[in-house]
Amino acid sequence: MAGLISQDTIERVRQTADIVSVINNYTNLTQRGSQYWGCCPFHNEKTPSFAVDPVRRFYHCFGCGVGGDVIKFTMEMEKLSYPDAIKELAQKNGVEITYEGGGYVPEKKDQDLDTIREVYDRIASTFHFFLTQTEQGKAALEYIKGRGLTDETLAKFMLGYAPADRFWLKKFLKEKNYSDEFLAKTGLFSKKYADLCIFAGRLIFPIFDRKGQAVAFGGRILGDGEPKYLNSPELAHYHKRETLYAFNFAKNSIHQKKTAILCEGYMDVIAYHQCGIDIAVAPLGTSLTEQQLKILQGFCDTILLSFDSDGAGQNATKRAILMCRKFNLTTKVIRLEGGKDPAEIMIKFGAEILTKQVQNAILDSDYLLSKIKAQYPSESPEDKTKAALAFFPYVDSLQSDIQKESSLDQLAGAFNLKPEAVRKDFINRSQARSRLDTRSNQPEGQTNQQIKLNAELRAVLAVLSNPEEYVKMRAELTSDDFEDSLAKELFIKMEERYKKGNLTFMSVIDQCDENVQRFVTEVTGSEEFSKKESQSESDWTEIIDRVVLDSIKLIKRNALERQRKKLNDRLRDFTPKTRDDENYLKALISEISQLDIKIQRQKQ
């Protein structure tokens, strides 16, 4: 357990950290007499009322009243605890941290994590050198420049190339005196073949923490092959669900503009930044998570969604809208026109057009209603009811009664419905759903009304919402263990994506028909599958682990019981006539006994 940071350290941090330089990273300061003035980074204003006194080392806003020293400013801007703010400032300013009593020594695991971060920083620079300065990286450099990226952008994002020789990195790091035991913890090498680098022969995108230190890599294959993108695994110092790509570059602008753009991948983010739109970030190898939204919620109040226009992108947009609204974030959708992604639009039309498309982002309610109207174009009562039911999950996600009322009025206006009828069906939507004739005007396959949320589906959807849990499920179950057809279908799709190295929520449901997509996004967006604000991350992880493990046992037990029933039916109808028949009968009874034992184990 760490001791208390000494008062001497705290005072040296206050005296050493240049408060003007620190604050100038977040808002432009201009000297007037003995003080520096700028627009307050804590609230929107056009006339500067934020003063920094370099002599007395404090700041004060005469508009909103905030004030404090350099430690408090760092805490507020970076959303850090008091000790973490001191540590960050101490590290940047070369102040040695001492503790009360002088007896605290960092644990070895903490020292290892610091060393791993240093390794990633070192390798990121090395990979960047290979990309920009060597013959080995020439093909990767030509590819990425063909995507419109400049030398300045390559340097800013430290893009690199990992040599095709899969043994090279291990030899390189061993020469730097890193041990095999330590390197096995870095996530850089195959677990099965410890000398092989997992990123060999790929274009490298370093992933930085919020302080700008490389902590992981994303690697894109050049040419054909699977998986197209390969990401660092979960590590002690790197958690995908809690990290946003390029947040270190975007956080100051996001805080100043109170707005962030959420994209699908690395290239989308980089294209926005190259065009001067420096508020773009992206989730990492997973669908958008609550942890990532909590990070953004501390810096902004508006989210712009910029996902691809294909089926997967549109489903990701719908899911993100519901999540953002649950965090009370104003949400808009950028309609990318003239290209499939920001990088293509940047190349074809330039930064000006991309900027206009960002400025013309539409409210999420307008976006959803336009999609629903295209899906249910007829004026029939059935289609109007279906349209309303498709819009109701969005209304549910809104955090104020005024927002809900306004959205229901908007729905009524869009489909020429009476507001009173819309409100009544919203309140009694389960009854409205049951009144639909589910057999008429429906595409083939299961509809939301026909899909029943049973135990098997619950288990699969819990894993689909938390794909990292799939390893546990596939270790215990096969597709034959599922009785529910949709649960089996989703399990098979997860297995396919897992084997290809890109198992994510959207990669799975993108392969499903529209009715299943709607059902899955609606259910996984419900409270049952969402972490409550009062729950800590560890508590939520523990709950998910328990749900998944309990569900696996239940599914396994049910599968065994079905198998036992089948054997019992065979036993009941079997009459031995020969010695071979008697031997078969004994084997059948023995197999049933073994199943009984397995079933009892699953009940424990």
Side-chain angles (χ1 to χ4, degrees):
M1 182 177 175
L4 295 174
I5 297 174
S6 68
Q7 281 300 126
D8 180 61
T9 297
I10 295 171
E11 195 54 41
R12 280 188 289 119
V13 165
R14 286 195 183 109
Q15 296 297 321
T16 306
D18 183 347
I19 190 169
V20 174
S21 295
V22 170
I23 293 176
N24 206 41
N25 289 322
Y26 300 88
T27 186
N28 294 322
L29 297 175
T30 303
Q31 187 171 9
R32 294 187 204 161
S34 62
Q35 292 189 334
Y36 289 78
W37 290 77
C39 291
C40 179
F42 297 103
H43 79 283
N44 293 322
E45 63 176 10
K46 294 182 179 179
T47 303
S49 63
F50 184 85
V52 182
D53 190 321
V55 177
R56 289 181 284 181
R57 301 179 186 277
F58 73 82
Y59 63 91
H60 179 79
C61 177
F62 292 91
C64 66
V66 299
D69 63 5
V70 69
I71 298 173
K72 184 178 180 184
F73 183 86
T74 303
M75 286 175 62
E76 294 295 328
M77 293 303 299
E78 296 295 333
K79 309 303 174 188
L80 298 174
S81 66
Y82 187 67
D84 286 344
I86 294 170
K87 290 175 185 176
E88 178 161 323
L89 290 167
Q91 183 180 17
K92 287 181 178 178
N93 291 278
V95 175
E96 182 182 358
I97 297 177
T98 60
Y99 296 84
E100 296 293 346
Y104 172 64
V105 177
E107 295 181 18
K108 184 180 185 302
K109 66 177 183 180
D110 295 332
Q111 294 174 329
D112 281 350
L113 292 183
D114 289 340
T115 308
I116 289 174
R117 291 186 181 97
E118 292 172 7
V119 167
Y120 271 93
D121 257 354
R122 174 179 287 189
I123 298 172
S125 298
T126 303
F127 285 166
H128 182 66
F129 173 81
F130 272 106
L131 177 71
T132 58
Q133 305 295 325
T134 71
E135 189 66 24
Q136 291 184 58
K138 188 175 180 181
L141 184 62
E142 289 176 354
Y143 164 79
I144 201 64
K145 285 199 168 183
R147 296 293 304 273
L149 300 192
T150 64
D151 290 334
E152 291 77 13
T153 297
L154 296 181
K156 175 180 175 179
F157 287 88
M158 286 290 288
L159 268 62
Y161 174 74
D165 179 359
R166 298 191 69 183
F167 294 95
W168 177 85
L169 184 60
K170 187 68 171 285
K171 293 176 183 175
F172 173 75
L173 292 174
K174 290 280 285 184
E175 289 171 0
K176 306 297 180 185
N177 296 319
Y178 294 108
S179 68
D180 287 325
E181 179 188 7
F182 169 79
L183 293 177
K185 302 175 185 177
T186 62
L188 293 165
F189 303 97
S190 165
K191 288 185 177 180
K192 194 172 182 180
Y193 305 103
D195 292 335
L196 302 185
C197 173
I198 64 175
F199 293 107
R202 289 176 178 265
L203 176 67
I204 298 296
F205 297 83
I207 297 163
F208 303 97
D209 63 16
R210 61 199 302 161
K211 295 184 288 187
Q213 189 169 28
V215 292
F217 294 128
R220 189 196 192 283
I221 199 166
L222 297 169
D224 298 328
E226 291 287 346
K228 183 178 178 181
Y229 279 96
L230 186 64
N231 300 300
S232 290
E234 289 284 310
L235 299 165
H237 71 291
Y238 168 62
H239 304 286
K240 298 176 186 179
R241 298 173 67 87
E242 301 170 6
T243 309
L244 287 162
Y245 181 67
F247 186 67
N248 58 304
F249 297 118
K251 62 182 179 181
N252 292 353
S253 291
I254 289 174
H255 195 282
Q256 289 171 2
K257 297 171 184 175
K258 304 301 179 189
T259 302
I261 296 175
L262 271 172
C263 307
E264 280 197 45
Y266 309 124
M267 284 301 300
D268 295 344
V269 171
I270 294 171
Y272 274 123
H273 279 256
Q274 182 166 301
C275 290
I277 307 167
D278 56 356
I279 55 173
V281 295
L284 287 155
T286 62
S287 53
L288 181 64
T289 68
E290 288 193 355
Q291 296 95 315
Q292 291 161 344
L293 281 177
K294 281 189 175 179
I295 293 170
L296 293 174
Q297 189 183 37
F299 285 76
C300 65
D301 52 31
T302 300
I303 299 290
L304 308 184
L305 301 176
S306 178
F307 297 139
D308 289 352
S309 56
D310 59 15
Q314 297 308 299
N315 284 320
T317 300
K318 294 173 187 175
R319 183 172 183 269
I321 287 171
L322 299 183
M323 291 184 68
C324 289
R325 283 298 184 177
K326 285 180 180 177
F327 278 82
N328 206 24
L329 292 162
T330 299
T331 312
K332 297 181 179 181
V333 179
I334 299 170
R335 293 175 296 180
L336 297 173
E337 298 174 352
K340 69 179 189 304
D341 56 38
E344 188 173 323
I345 294 169
M346 175 184 71
I347 293 173
K348 285 183 176 179
F349 307 109
E352 185 179 352
I353 296 300
L354 187 59
T355 301
K356 283 184 178 178
Q357 293 187 7
V358 171
Q359 293 170 344
N360 292 332
I362 62 172
L363 273 173
D364 50 1
S365 57
D366 293 330
Y367 167 83
L368 290 173
L369 286 171
S370 69
K371 294 295 179 182
I372 292 170
K373 288 185 81 170
Q375 186 178 359
Y376 301 109
S378 104
E379 291 291 314
S380 70
E382 288 80 7
D383 263 17
K384 288 186 176 184
T385 303
K386 290 171 188 174
L389 290 171
F391 190 67
F392 286 163
Y394 169 76
V395 182
D396 277 325
S397 71
L398 299 173
Q399 299 302 297
S400 81
D401 289 340
I402 293 175
Q403 287 177 322
K404 291 179 188 289
E405 285 288 316
S406 298
S407 294
L408 290 172
D409 286 342
Q410 190 177 4
L411 171 65
F415 287 90
N416 195 26
L417 301 167
K418 290 183 178 180
E420 297 78 12
V422 171
R423 287 183 179 82
K424 186 175 180 180
D425 269 7
F426 176 68
I427 294 169
N428 302 298
R429 46 198 175 280
S430 60
Q431 294 177 24
R433 195 179 292 280
S434 66
R435 286 197 299 268
L436 282 173
D437 179 6
T438 58
R439 292 168 296 179
S440 64
N441 301 319
Q442 288 286 350
E444 290 183 4
Q446 291 178 302
T447 67
N448 287 26
Q449 292 75 30
Q450 295 168 319
I451 299 173
K452 304 298 181 184
L453 187 59
N454 54 44
E456 289 188 357
L457 258 181
R458 262 196 181 84
V460 172
L461 292 180
V463 171
L464 185 54
S465 299
N466 303 272
E468 61 273 13
E469 297 284 337
Y470 180 67
V471 176
K472 298 171 188 172
M473 179 171 274
R474 76 185 296 267
E476 298 290 336
L477 301 175
T478 70
S479 59
D480 292 335
D481 291 320
F482 292 90
E483 187 175 26
D484 181 87
S485 60
L486 179 55
K488 178 183 287 193
E489 176 189 344
L490 291 172
F491 180 86
I492 291 171
K493 292 183 188 304
M494 283 195 284
E495 178 66 13
E496 291 171 352
R497 304 322 298 174
Y498 176 83
K499 287 180 176 178
K500 291 185 176 181
N502 66 336
L503 172 58
T504 65
F505 179 88
M506 290 312 309
S507 71
V508 174
I509 70 166
D510 186 40
Q511 302 173 70
C512 303
D513 67 45
E514 193 169 327
N515 293 305
V516 172
Q517 288 178 353
R518 194 180 309 119
F519 169 79
V520 171
T521 53
E522 184 174 330
V523 172
T524 55
S526 68
E527 288 188 10
E528 179 182 351
F529 290 83
S530 303
K531 184 169 77 67
K532 298 178 177 62
E533 290 207 23
S534 59
Q535 291 173 324
S536 67
E537 185 58 36
S538 61
D539 286 345
W540 176 243
T541 301
E542 186 178 334
I543 289 170
I544 290 297
D545 285 343
R546 187 168 64 250
V547 167
V548 171
L549 292 175
D550 288 348
S551 298
I552 289 171
K553 289 178 70 174
L554 177 62
I555 293 168
K556 193 73 176 176
R557 187 173 77 232
N558 289 343
L560 291 170
E561 287 177 345
R562 288 196 302 274
Q563 188 178 351
R564 181 178 62 180
K565 182 180 183 302
K566 190 182 296 183
L567 293 179
N568 276 323
D569 290 344
R570 192 182 304 169
L571 179 64
R572 186 180 60 250
D573 298 333
F574 185 74
T575 303
K577 297 178 180 178
T578 66
R579 184 176 294 276
D580 287 342
D581 287 347
E582 290 177 355
N583 290 335
Y584 174 75
L585 183 63
K586 290 178 182 178
L588 198 59
I589 293 171
S590 174
E591 190 174 351
I592 292 171
S593 297
Q594 291 299 315
L595 285 172
D596 286 335
I597 294 171
K598 290 180 180 178
I599 290 168
Q600 288 304 315
R601 286 175 181 166
Q602 293 298 326
K603 289 181 178 179
Q604 293 173 357

